[in-house]
Amino acid sequence: MRVYLPATIGMLRQLVSDGELMPLSGTGFALTPALRESYVSGSTEELEYAALLDAARASLRLLASSQEPGASDTKEPPRRVVISADVEHATLRPDLDHAVVRLSGPVRLDEVAAVHVDAAEAEPAVLAAAAVIDAADLGDPDAEFTLGDVEDHELAWYAPQELPFLLELM
């Protein structure tokens, strides 16, 4: 199953250095039957993109906590990161949300199909969105507008073998 894992640059560094990464709480997003049923129409590609966007939004939550004083990622660039991986150990969790899955173990680097990362010009929008992600979840229209600003930035695509070079340039 193709899963989309929310991450940060620090988590990406860990994946490259350790060769594996355990997503926070084992949470990922995927094209699940519940996600497919929640849309009136859409191709598989469009619905997978919806799962990827859910993971990108979850990445903002990780960034919000990583930017707090004393967090290990405070020196890393504030960019959304989504790791796309093909795994066998995902369990559907429609009780949490339509696209949520739980992984029972770490994701190995050789399971990674691609990594999606914001470009540098998205950083101000990412910081603003990370600061209001909880308010947006609670329905604050101004916060939702701020999230829309960051979602206007497309995530860049990187092959797994490009990750050491990408991280070196950050």
Side-chain angles (χ1 to χ4, degrees):
M1 168 184 282
R2 172 68 50 96
V3 297
Y4 302 94
L5 307 169
T8 63
I9 296 296
M11 293 169 75
L12 198 54
R13 287 188 195 283
Q14 179 187 351
L15 173 64
V16 171
S17 69
D18 297 350
E20 66 180 24
L21 173 75
M22 184 63 191
L24 187 64
S25 300
T27 301
F29 299 84
L31 172 51
T32 64
L35 180 64
R36 187 176 296 282
E37 289 174 16
S38 70
Y39 281 83
V40 174
S41 66
S43 67
T44 296
E45 185 176 300
E46 290 168 328
L47 296 175
E48 285 180 338
Y49 186 67
L52 184 144
L53 291 179
D54 284 348
R57 188 170 276 209
S59 177
L60 288 171
R61 291 180 186 85
L62 295 174
L63 284 167
S65 65
S66 73
Q67 296 300 311
E68 295 174 359
S72 61
D73 274 358
T74 56
K75 302 266 191 252
E76 295 290 358
R79 301 191 193 174
R80 295 173 298 164
V81 175
V82 176
I83 300 167
S84 299
D86 296 314
V87 301
E88 299 297 324
H89 54 283
T91 304
L92 303 177
R93 290 299 308 265
D95 56 313
L96 297 175
D97 203 351
H98 296 301
V100 175
V101 296
R102 292 280 191 212
L103 290 113
S104 60
V107 173
R108 296 184 325 271
L109 189 55
D110 66 354
E111 294 174 310
V112 174
V115 175
H116 312 271
V117 181
D118 274 312
E121 60 266 9
E123 288 181 12
V126 169
L127 283 172
V132 299
I133 186 72
D134 290 336
D137 286 344
L138 296 172
D140 180 309
D142 291 332
E144 289 176 14
F145 183 78
T146 301
L147 280 184
D149 285 345
V150 78
E151 290 171 349
D152 286 342
H153 291 272
E154 290 291 325
L155 296 168
W157 181 94
Y158 296 92
Q161 61 270 25
E162 296 175 302
L163 296 179
F165 307 107
L166 169 68
L167 293 171
E168 185 178 314
L169 294 172
M170 295 202 159

